[in-house]
Amino acid sequence: MKLIVGLGNPGKKYDETRHNIGFRVIDELSKSFNIPLNQEKFKGVFGFDTINGEKVFLLKPLTYMNLSGESVRPLMDFYKIDIEDVVVVYDDLDLPPGKIRLRQKGGHGGHNGIKSLLAHLGTENFKRIRVGVGRPEAGVAVANYVLSTFRPDERQEMEEAVSQASKACESWLSKDFLNVMNSFN
């Protein structure tokens, strides 16, 4: 079994924000795999299907970003999904808009959603796909920045980043994550 988690915040007002890039990747995968996100449980919305003989889950935690682990851990426990079979997609301030970076493990880098996952999963050994959203200009609070929408000049590169992150997830379903990293980093 494999679990792909996209981090974000629930609600229409957050749909197009920088912080919801993980949700956008899950939505893209839902369409391309034809897996409806029609189950609400474990403080999240998810769907699953069998792809290449393996059950694949797509999850959007509905806990708000800072409590993401409260959704991921119970789903993993219920379905007995190993930490090695989890990848988390989320926004990253340290990457320029549109750039993606894959990692096999790591710290939280100041990201509150990842802090919550580290606390609830008890390990930093989970795969990540970081999607760059850039840094705010001087004087703009980080919280306000990540809850803002993309500027018109950033939208095309962000659509490409969502597509690339989705393709990386899809590639991971049939390849070792190290090979996927080598292809997409």
Side-chain angles (χ1 to χ4, degrees):
M1 282 188 270
K2 300 229 175 170
L3 169 61
I4 303 170
V5 179
L7 299 187
N9 286 312
K12 273 279 189 225
K13 73 179 189 175
Y14 298 110
D15 276 352
E16 298 297 318
T17 65
R18 295 170 190 278
H19 229 11
N20 270 38
I21 206 76
F23 275 17
R24 289 182 57 197
V25 170
I26 293 298
D27 290 340
E28 179 86 12
L29 291 169
S30 173
K31 285 181 208 152
S32 76
F33 293 152
N34 197 25
I35 297 177
L37 302 174
N38 58 5
Q39 300 196 45
E40 227 177 290
K41 194 174 179 183
F42 311 112
K43 298 183 181 180
V45 62
F46 67 99
F48 62 90
D49 202 352
T50 301
I51 300 172
N52 300 332
E54 186 164 39
K55 192 176 277 188
V56 176
F57 290 81
L58 304 176
L59 170 66
K60 293 183 351 183
L62 299 178
T63 55
Y64 290 95
M65 182 67 76
N66 298 357
L67 303 173
S68 298
E70 291 180 10
S71 174
V72 176
R73 177 88 258 173
L75 186 139
M76 287 177 63
D77 289 346
F78 185 84
Y79 288 104
K80 298 179 177 27
I81 300 170
D82 293 327
I83 195 70
E84 299 85 36
D85 296 319
V86 175
V87 68
V88 180
V89 184
Y90 62 99
D91 59 296
D92 192 307
L93 293 168
D94 292 326
L95 293 172
K99 180 85 173 151
I100 71 167
R101 180 77 65 219
L102 284 68
R103 292 285 177 257
Q104 293 201 64
K105 63 180 181 176
H108 58 75
H111 194 286
N112 289 329
I114 299 300
K115 283 182 188 176
S116 176
L117 287 172
L118 292 172
H120 285 86
L121 301 179
T123 182
E124 63 179 28
N125 296 324
F126 56 89
K127 296 162 187 66
R128 300 118 190 270
I129 299 178
R130 299 164 31 215
V131 181
V133 296
R135 283 235 166 241
E137 295 175 9
V140 176
V142 168
N144 292 337
Y145 180 73
V146 296
L147 296 178
S148 70
T149 59
F150 293 100
R151 296 186 318 262
D153 63 306
E154 296 173 318
R155 289 194 181 123
Q156 179 61 37
E157 60 195 351
M158 292 315 300
E159 289 304 319
E160 290 171 17
V162 167
S163 176
Q164 283 298 104
S166 299
K167 287 176 184 169
C169 290
E170 192 170 340
S171 183
W172 174 60
L173 299 181
S174 60
K175 296 179 183 170
D176 180 75
F177 196 74
L178 188 57
N179 291 335
V180 179
M181 284 175 56
N182 291 334
S183 296
F184 286 87
N185 278 346

